[in-house]
Amino acid sequence: LMKEGAATDIPSPTFSLIQSYEETRVPVFHADLYRLQHGAEVDELGLDGLLSTHAGLIEWPDRLGQLASDDILTVSLSGRGSSRIARLKPSGAWLNALQRDAELQEFLSRTAHATSRRYFFEGDASARRYERLVSPAGESCLLMDMPQRPDGPPVKHGKPYSAISHLAENIAPVVAINTRLVALGYSAPRVLQADLAKGFGLIEPLGFQVYGKMMLDGFDMREPLEVAAAVLADMALQDWPRHPAAAPGVAHTIHDYDQAAQLIETDLLPTWFIPHARGVEATAAQKQQFENIWIEALALARPARAQWTIRDYHSPNLLWIPERAGLRRVGIIDSQDAVMGHPAYDLASMAQDARVDIVPLMEDHIIAHYCGLRENQGGFNSADFMTAYAVLGAQRATKILGIFARLNKRDGKPAYLKHMPRVSRYLARNLEHPALAQLKKWYMTHLPEAIGLKP
């Protein structure tokens, strides 16, 4: 649970009974209940509250009585002298966790990293997670653990949200899309080895200079953002396959970013953000009017020539690699949800970043830089592009407000709420485009909170 390179004292809780650690990757407490005699003493410790917020290591759990969680790993130690035998008895979520780890170990046994040390590297809002592997010789790579996405409940026409919005269901899109991006000369992580059936992959590390962290550290981002915009302009020149190969005989389909996908995303706002902001469910009439307005607006952003749209082309997923040359200085990760769409979407993703502030002057500079490169390509209409930019920027901001509200309410992840005011500012700016006058009126009438106004 300790972060890589972190060091801390781990005192015994024999006398304090409970020792908590907030500096670990997830909050942890260590309890020693040996001296307790009856249940009332346990109640006084407040373990029920800790178990709702922390992972717990409890010695002498028989003193505890009934645990508040079904997710328990019982570790029994036996033996004498310098050796011990540990017997593990999992229940609840631990059953799947240990099974998954056994599958991971089996995968690693077939690679050059069978004996590498494993360090947690990163997790995100999805079930996908990463570890950094370091071999005895000091060679490093990233392990991607991306299990098959389970189908969620049907939300429309009998289909789950992920199917309608064309989200990646397994690791095959990662392999297929990254391989194609690398072949075209872009700096996506090369997939070194993968098990498509189990959902494991070894991928090339692209360094640690993540755009988002650089921005928060006060780094001058003018050049990195210009090059990232230039990557998108260059992508507009490419011929993008609809069925890139993940393995011999295994192809991944790049779906159109169609109206159904875009509408199921905008529906996240009335479904999740309205209850978050108002404490009541959206009415059927509100939802229908909202959808009708979006149908008209999205028609203004249909691409004349569709290209791969990464959809998550923003600061957490862009890395600066100054030792490389040209466009390869921009590392692109988390591209597995790519669709065939309008190039304005990815530019809006980057220039209206949900997690860090992009001031209007910098946003305008990014747009101007991109459009200047596209005008040299020929056949580019800047006015049409800016209309699509406003429409898709508003669609993306609408979706994100709904997603952040959902992450808070459904998934217990309130940390995303702090980004909502920023996203609301982007949404309000997009709504100033004349083509979105009806949408702006809907927000002003039904949900001014979403654009940063008091109701």
Side-chain angles (χ1 to χ4, degrees), residues 383-422:
D384 290 345
F385 182 86
M386 289 310 301
T387 298
Y389 181 92
V391 170
L392 297 174
Q395 188 267 350
R396 179 175 176 274
T398 297
K399 170 181 70 173
I400 291 173
L401 288 174
I403 287 175
F404 286 173
R406 184 178 67 183
L407 284 167
N408 173 60
K409 178 69 174 178
R410 188 192 70 183
D411 303 332
K413 297 179 179 180
Y416 293 90
L417 298 181
K418 66 184 178 184
H419 301 303
M420 279 186 173
R422 179 184 303 111

Side-chain angles (χ1 to χ4, degrees), residues 343-377:
Y345 188 95
D346 281 345
L347 190 69
S349 295
M350 182 182 70
Q352 297 186 350
D353 195 284
R355 290 171 175 79
V356 292
D357 287 323
I358 303 290
V359 298
L361 282 176
M362 179 56 76
E363 180 186 1
D364 290 343
H365 176 73
I366 294 167
I367 296 170
H369 185 71
Y370 174 90
C371 290
L373 294 171
R374 290 295 310 276
E375 285 171 356
N376 294 332
Q377 296 172 0

Side-chain angles (χ1 to χ4, degrees), residues 82-99:
S82 61
S83 63
R84 293 289 187 273
I85 296 174
R87 291 180 173 85
L88 309 183
K89 181 183 177 182
S91 64
W94 277 101
L95 289 166
N96 290 333
L98 292 185
Q99 176 62 33

Side-chain angles (χ1 to χ4, degrees), residues 68-277:
S69 173
D70 294 327
D71 303 324
I72 302 168
L73 176 65
T74 302
V75 182
S76 302
L77 300 177
S78 62
R80 294 180 179 275
S82 61
S83 63
R84 293 289 187 273
I85 296 174
R87 291 180 173 85
L88 309 183
K89 181 183 177 182
S91 64
W94 277 101
L95 289 166
N96 290 333
L98 292 185
Q99 176 62 33
R100 186 66 179 168
D101 194 65
E103 294 171 347
L104 189 156
Q105 291 282 17
E106 195 280 327
F107 166 71
L108 289 178
S109 72
R110 296 182 273 114
T111 74
H113 285 273
T115 60
S116 293
R117 295 195 66 178
R118 294 166 51 190
Y119 301 94
F120 176 83
F121 183 71
E122 183 181 297
D124 56 22
S126 73
R128 187 174 58 250
R129 70 183 187 92
Y130 298 87
E131 294 182 6
R132 192 168 80 91
L133 306 179
V134 181
S135 73
E139 297 175 346
S140 177
C141 77
L142 294 182
L143 166 71
M144 171 181 273
D145 179 0
M146 187 177 180
Q148 176 74 31
R149 179 197 294 271
D151 281 340
V155 295
K156 199 169 187 178
H157 305 309
K159 295 181 179 180
Y161 175 87
S162 60
I164 299 171
S165 58
H166 309 310
L167 299 180
E169 302 286 348
N170 50 52
I171 203 171
V174 177
V175 179
I177 292 168
N178 281 15
T179 300
R180 183 61 178 175
L181 289 173
V182 170
L184 290 172
Y186 303 118
S187 286
R190 291 181 298 113
V191 179
L192 309 175
Q193 196 165 337
D195 185 326
L196 300 185
K198 293 294 186 181
F200 299 118
L202 298 184
I203 63 175
E204 171 194 19
L206 294 180
F208 299 95
Q209 294 198 63
V210 180
Y211 274 44
K213 187 176 185 305
M214 292 169 67
M215 291 174 182
L216 293 176
D217 289 343
F219 193 91
D220 183 356
M221 295 301 297
R222 187 181 184 90
E223 183 181 14
L225 288 170
E226 286 178 350
V227 181
V231 169
L232 294 178
D234 189 76
M235 288 174 68
L237 296 172
Q238 307 293 344
D239 291 322
W240 295 101
R242 286 187 173 269
H243 304 285
V250 180
H252 168 63
T253 298
I254 306 291
H255 295 279
D256 286 327
Y257 201 11
D258 52 22
Q259 185 184 93
Q262 293 171 320
L263 290 179
I264 202 68
E265 292 177 341
T266 56
D267 184 66
L268 291 168
L269 183 126
T271 300
W272 293 98
F273 185 82
I274 286 182
H276 166 80

